[in-house]
């Protein structure tokens, strides 16, 4: 490819709205341009990277025996009504109406479409298991599109769905996808960690997210350096430190706490630790209201609560509503909860020990409150606290370490939610009709591309893993006059004919400019044939990632091919 016939619209300045490295560099390197909030144009250089990632994903999926499809992006509302998600999906789903007043969604995910499609195709257990996938555009009207293509409203996802007669078969495919994902990300040069994830209120028995540790990550990961237990903090069980016991005053009495509503204020005033107090969090969904009591130093994990209660939505109850139902916000204790609410005690609370709790009236708390003997109404006990760095690992007890992470992929055992809704059943070995069980497996292709840049950039720009670079090699030449031009053309033709993927920068620009461009765009290998070649026969090969420049006297194309191929192989080796 000749640069003069290509488009290399590099920019010196950082775009004003780009706050993360990948977004800045994708724009500056001329890979993408913004179209609107959360959607982007892909330019030729950027598209080549995207297609290479897609191909890696496709090769690894195909090698597991998964079958590639392409489904319409426009999905009829009936599909979503069948699964019950037309309402549940809320504002994140883009909806459009056709001229006949029929509603459609621009698919944010395709469980329903694939379910509709495979139902009549699967007739007997002999057709199973089957894993179907596509690599296609998804639409999600994200509340906060940001970080360029990392969280956009239109993006490309590889989404796969598997169908099985039983759990064992689902598990086998799940494990197969797990190892395919490792290979995919490894081949893309991306270091990922699979972490246990929240399966959500939609049911499903197992779920793992593939995370890239990054300071810009929106997820909090809790990792155990000892046993390798890794999880998204949305999911991590809170494990009580074995040495913990409540150490507040044992004598039960009401104590004045004027204007002290926060745990911090109350514990300072009374001289107790926050973990010797109990706080109330009031939540509701459309049907019921609930007061959750947690140890004062802990926060509510809404994901765990929703999943325990099987709620699909959850919101905080506003203070006026609490007041109208007879509670005093800031001073709610477990004994004040009335029949308008359900009551839940977080399992971190030791029911037989004494805590400081709200007194149920303004400006007062109760000390020496023992939940086990004081609470008269029925209550639930569940682990709904957010685990933190330093808390014990749920598997081995070692202190957990926290990191921020970007989710690039997700594998999920869905169970029978969709197969039941769509009545996907086959005849089993005994000739009996059986509803299938299902898994789903997603990878964000554009997000993967941006995340690689988050890991592979320096002050000069991007250094692509060779497997997904827009071109493996850039050839920078500087020639004056017909004779020199003929000579550099020979270099290009020769490398190209040898099968190398070469981007030839023969533009009529200064060397500094061309070098900067090649480093910004991030071609892994750069061959320079310039002034020195015409003076003394010297050319150079530059390894962008390791910032190593090797100059040598050109002694023929065979030698050049060997040197380039060796470096190329070395760079591919690093991905293994
Ligand atoms: P997130 O929590 O980041 O919103 P999600 O749980 O909604 O992700 P899934 O529904 O599991 O994501 O989608 C599968 C994959 O699609 C994700 O792992 C991610 O790589 C990608 N993805 C999801 N939402 C977006 C988005 N708005 N922009 C780009 N990629 C996305
Ligand atoms: Mg999302």
């Amino acid at each position: 490819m000749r640069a003069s016939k290509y488009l290399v619209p590099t920019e010196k300045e950082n775009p004003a709205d780009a706050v993360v490295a990948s977004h800045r560099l994708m724009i500056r390197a001329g890979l993408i341009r913004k179209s609107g909030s959360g959607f982007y144009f892909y330019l030729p250089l950027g598209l080549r990277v995207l297609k290479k990632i897609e191909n890696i994903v496709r090769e690894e999926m195909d090698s597991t025996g998964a079958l590639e499809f392409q489904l319409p992006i426009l999905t009829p509302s009936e599909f979503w009504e069948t699964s019950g998600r037309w309402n549940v999906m809320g504002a994140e789903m883009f909806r459009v109406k056709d001229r006949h007043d029929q509603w459609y969604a621009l698919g944010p995910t395709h469980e329903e479409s694939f379910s509709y499609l495979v139902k009549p195709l699967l007739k007997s257990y002999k057709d199973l298991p089957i894993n179907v996938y596509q690599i296609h555009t998804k639409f999600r009207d994200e509340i906060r599109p940001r970080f360029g293509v990392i969280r956009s409203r239109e993006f490309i996802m590889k989404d796969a769905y598997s169908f099985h007669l039983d759990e064992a078969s689902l598990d086998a495919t799940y494990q197969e996808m797990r190892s395919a994902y490792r290979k995919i990300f490894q081949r893309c040069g991306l270091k990922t960690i699979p972490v246990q994830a929240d399966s959500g209120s939609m049911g499903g028995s197992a779920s793992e997210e593939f995370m890239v540790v990054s300071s810009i990550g929106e997820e909090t990961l809790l990792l155990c350096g000892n046993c390798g237990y890794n999880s998204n903090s949305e999911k991590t069980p809170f494990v009580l430190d074995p040495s913990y016991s409540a150490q507040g005053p044992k004598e039960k009495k009401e104590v004045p706490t004027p204007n002290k509503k926060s745990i911090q204020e109350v514990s300072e005033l009374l001289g107790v630790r926050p973990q010797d107090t109990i706080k109330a969090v009031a939540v509701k969904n459309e049907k019921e209201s609930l007061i959750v009591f947690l140890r004062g130093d802990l926060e509510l994990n809404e994901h765990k609560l929703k999943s325990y209660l099987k709620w699909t939505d959850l919101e905080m109850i506003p203070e006026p509503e609490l007041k109208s139902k007879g509670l005093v916000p800031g001073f709610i204790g477990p004994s004040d909860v009335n029949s308008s609410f359900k009551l839940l005690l977080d399992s971190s609370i030791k029911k037989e020990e004494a805590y400081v709790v709200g007194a149920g009236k303004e400006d007062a708390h109760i000390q020496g409150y023992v939940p086990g003997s004081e609470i008269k109404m029925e209550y639930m006990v569940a682990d709904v606290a957010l685990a933190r760095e330093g808390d014990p690992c749920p598997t081995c007890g070692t202190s957990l370490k926290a990191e921020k992470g970007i989710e690039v992929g997700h594998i999920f055992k869905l169970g029978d939610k969709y197969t039941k809704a769509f009545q996907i059943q086959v005849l089993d070995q005994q000739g009996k009709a059986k509803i299938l069980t299902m898994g789903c497996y997603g990878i964000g292709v554009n997000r993967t591309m941006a995340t690689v840049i988050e890991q592979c950039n320096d002050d000069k720009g991007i250094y692509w893993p060779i497997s997904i670079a827009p071109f493996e090699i850039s050839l920078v030449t500087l020639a004056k006059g017909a004779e020199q031009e003929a000579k550099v053309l020979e270099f290009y033709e020769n490398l190209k004919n040898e099968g190398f993927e070469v981007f030839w920068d023969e533009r009529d620009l200064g060397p500094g400019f061309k070098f900067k461009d090649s480093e910004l765009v991030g071609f892994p290998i750069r061959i320079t044939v310039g002034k020195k070649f015409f003076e003394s026969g010297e050319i150079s090969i530059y390894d962008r990632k390791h910032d190593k420049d090797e100059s040598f006297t050109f002694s023929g194309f065979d030698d050049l091919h060997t040197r380039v191929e060796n470096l190329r192989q070395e760079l591919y080796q690093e991905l293994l």
Side-chain angles (χ1 to χ4, degrees):
M1 190 53 64
R2 291 164 183 253
S4 65
K5 296 198 163 51
Y6 211 74
L7 190 67
V8 194
T10 52
E11 303 265 350
K12 272 208 185 105
E13 300 302 324
N14 284 322
D17 64 341
V19 295
V20 299
S22 56
H23 187 189
R24 281 197 294 271
L25 289 169
M26 284 174 88
I27 304 266
R28 284 192 48 210
L31 310 183
I32 59 166
R33 282 283 187 276
K34 184 171 174 171
S35 169
S37 166
F39 48 117
Y40 292 86
F41 302 105
Y42 274 79
L43 278 49
L45 282 172
L47 189 61
R48 285 183 66 94
V49 177
L50 205 63
K51 293 287 167 198
K52 284 190 175 182
I53 298 174
E54 283 185 15
N55 278 334
I56 291 176
V57 172
R58 181 173 289 115
E59 280 174 22
E60 295 299 336
M61 290 301 292
D62 290 351
S63 85
T64 67
L67 301 175
E68 186 171 0
F69 288 67
Q70 187 162 302
L71 273 54
I73 290 169
L74 218 48
T75 57
S77 60
E78 295 85 62
F79 288 8
W80 301 92
E81 268 148 19
T82 303
S83 69
R85 290 210 289 183
W86 183 253
N87 294 326
V88 176
M89 294 301 275
E92 201 168 294
M93 194 152 80
F94 279 106
R95 293 159 213 250
V96 290
K97 197 163 74 169
D98 72 7
R99 62 175 75 201
H100 309 295
D101 277 354
Q102 294 291 323
W103 281 98
Y104 298 81
L106 298 178
T109 174
H110 279 84
E111 283 83 359
E112 284 81 354
S113 293
F114 266 111
S115 294
Y116 177 86
L117 171 66
V118 303
K119 176 184 160 70
L121 304 178
L122 304 177
K123 300 210 160 63
S124 116
Y125 68 92
K126 291 179 192 151
D127 300 326
L128 299 173
I130 187 168
N131 193 6
V132 295
Y133 81 97
Q134 62 174 344
I135 301 177
H136 212 2
T137 305
K138 297 277 183 270
F139 290 86
R140 292 185 184 180
D141 196 359
E142 299 279 355
I143 294 186
R144 267 207 324 150
R146 59 188 189 141
F147 300 164
V149 303
I150 290 184
R151 184 169 297 286
S152 51
R153 299 199 295 168
E154 174 174 341
F155 58 96
I156 296 166
M157 198 201 286
K158 184 286 294 174
D159 49 326
Y161 308 87
S162 67
F163 296 85
H164 312 265
L165 206 54
D166 57 33
E167 181 65 25
S169 164
L170 169 59
D171 191 57
T173 299
Y174 182 88
Q175 298 305 339
E176 218 168 50
M177 284 295 104
R178 198 173 189 273
S179 63
Y181 272 39
R182 276 185 176 270
K183 285 191 202 137
I184 289 168
F185 293 123
Q186 198 171 4
R187 285 183 62 189
C188 293
L190 201 54
K191 286 191 200 77
T192 56
I193 320 177
V195 305
Q196 307 277 330
D198 179 29
S199 314
S201 49
M202 289 299 189
S205 51
S207 151
E208 278 163 290
E209 292 162 336
F210 283 74
M211 292 287 187
V212 175
V213 169
S214 162
S215 58
I216 66 152
E218 295 176 290
E219 310 289 331
T220 301
L221 318 179
L222 291 169
L223 312 174
C224 176
N226 180 46
C227 73
Y229 171 88
N230 297 324
S231 65
N232 189 318
S233 68
E234 289 176 354
K235 159 95 178 179
T236 322
F238 174 80
V239 176
L240 201 59
D241 191 324
S243 65
Y244 169 81
S245 62
Q247 288 165 18
K250 302 261 180 304
E251 181 202 356
K252 188 183 171 198
K253 69 171 187 199
E254 189 178 306
V255 283
T257 50
N259 289 321
K260 308 288 185 207
K261 287 190 180 178
S262 76
I263 290 296
Q264 175 129 15
E265 290 168 336
V266 172
S267 47
E268 270 168 22
L269 178 75
L270 302 180
V272 298
R273 306 173 308 169
Q275 54 267 52
D276 301 325
T277 69
I278 289 178
K279 70 178 175 197
V281 183
V283 297
K284 64 173 180 179
N285 71 357
E286 271 173 11
K287 294 200 191 96
E288 39 189 14
S289 297
L290 172 77
I291 311 287
V292 180
F293 290 94
L294 293 150
R295 221 171 66 179
D297 62 321
L298 296 175
E299 297 302 326
L300 174 65
N301 181 331
E302 293 183 15
H303 297 273
K304 288 200 292 191
L305 180 62
K306 271 160 70 177
S307 138
Y308 174 75
L309 297 169
K310 300 197 167 43
W311 284 10
T312 51
D313 58 326
L314 177 152
E315 58 178 312
M316 295 294 151
I317 306 179
E319 289 201 357
E321 188 177 327
L322 288 175
K323 284 181 186 156
S324 74
K325 289 182 171 167
L327 295 181
V328 184
F331 301 94
I332 306 171
S335 296
D336 314 322
V337 179
N338 58 50
S339 57
S340 305
F341 304 90
K342 286 190 159 177
L343 198 164
L344 187 148
L345 219 54
D346 179 62
S347 51
S348 64
I349 294 171
K350 290 193 156 177
K351 281 187 285 181
E352 306 313 321
E353 297 189 357
Y355 292 86
V356 173
V357 302
K361 57 183 184 191
E362 290 291 341
D363 299 340
H365 279 75
I366 294 173
Q367 65 167 53
Y369 181 93
V370 179
S373 49
E374 298 283 346
I375 304 178
K376 299 296 176 235
M377 74 185 274
E378 214 177 288
Y379 61 93
M380 300 170 270
V381 175
D383 167 25
V384 295
L386 196 62
R388 310 151 298 182
E389 180 160 60
D391 286 336
C393 166
T395 315
C396 74
T398 307
S399 282
L400 293 169
K401 189 172 176 324
E403 293 281 7
K404 290 284 174 200
I406 306 174
E407 178 196 322
V408 286
H410 195 172
I411 58 175
F412 206 108
K413 288 186 187 172
L414 284 171
D416 61 7
K417 175 177 162 65
Y418 300 95
T419 49
K420 255 191 184 155
F422 284 84
Q423 282 295 302
I424 308 177
Q425 51 186 10
V426 302
L427 298 178
D428 67 9
Q429 287 92 328
Q430 282 75 44
K432 233 179 81 191
K434 197 168 170 199
I435 293 278
L436 303 185
T437 185
M438 191 174 164
C440 79
Y441 319 92
I443 289 182
V445 177
N446 329 60
R447 188 182 282 185
T448 296
M449 172 173 170
T451 307
V452 169
I453 302 177
E454 288 297 328
Q455 274 189 355
C456 302
N457 75 84
D458 58 19
D459 51 5
K460 295 178 189 168
I462 306 167
Y463 51 91
W464 287 110
I466 191 157
S467 53
I468 60 170
F471 291 86
E472 292 183 344
I473 297 165
S474 76
L475 171 67
V476 172
T477 62
L478 303 157
K480 284 212 167 65
E483 200 180 315
Q484 293 191 356
E485 271 162 18
K487 191 71 203 164
V488 293
L489 175 63
E490 202 186 323
F491 271 88
Y492 173 59
E493 296 285 346
N494 199 286
L495 288 162
K496 202 175 67 170
N497 293 339
E498 193 61 21
F500 290 114
E501 195 186 79
V502 190
F503 186 78
W504 180 24
D505 196 348
E506 30 61 292
R507 292 175 299 173
D508 189 15
L509 294 167
F513 197 94
K514 292 189 189 190
F515 288 157
K516 276 211 179 84
D517 263 6
S518 86
E519 285 155 16
L520 174 60
V521 175
F523 303 107
I525 299 172
R526 179 176 69 214
I527 304 169
T528 305
V529 181
K531 222 167 125 206
K532 284 189 187 154
F533 172 70
F534 294 108
E535 285 165 7
S536 64
E538 189 181 301
I539 66 174
S540 70
I541 298 179
Y542 175 64
D543 168 351
R544 170 74 179 89
K545 179 180 173 193
H546 304 96
D547 192 24
K548 270 197 325 220
D549 210 356
E550 193 199 355
S551 298
F552 57 95
T553 305
F554 177 68
S555 64
F557 283 111
D558 285 349
D559 174 60
L560 178 62
H561 300 158
T562 309
R563 288 171 188 263
V564 173
E565 184 55 22
N566 285 348
L567 176 55
R568 210 181 143 262
Q569 290 302 331
E570 267 171 45
L571 294 173
Y572 269 104
Q573 279 301 316
E574 283 184 11
L575 301 174
L576 300 179

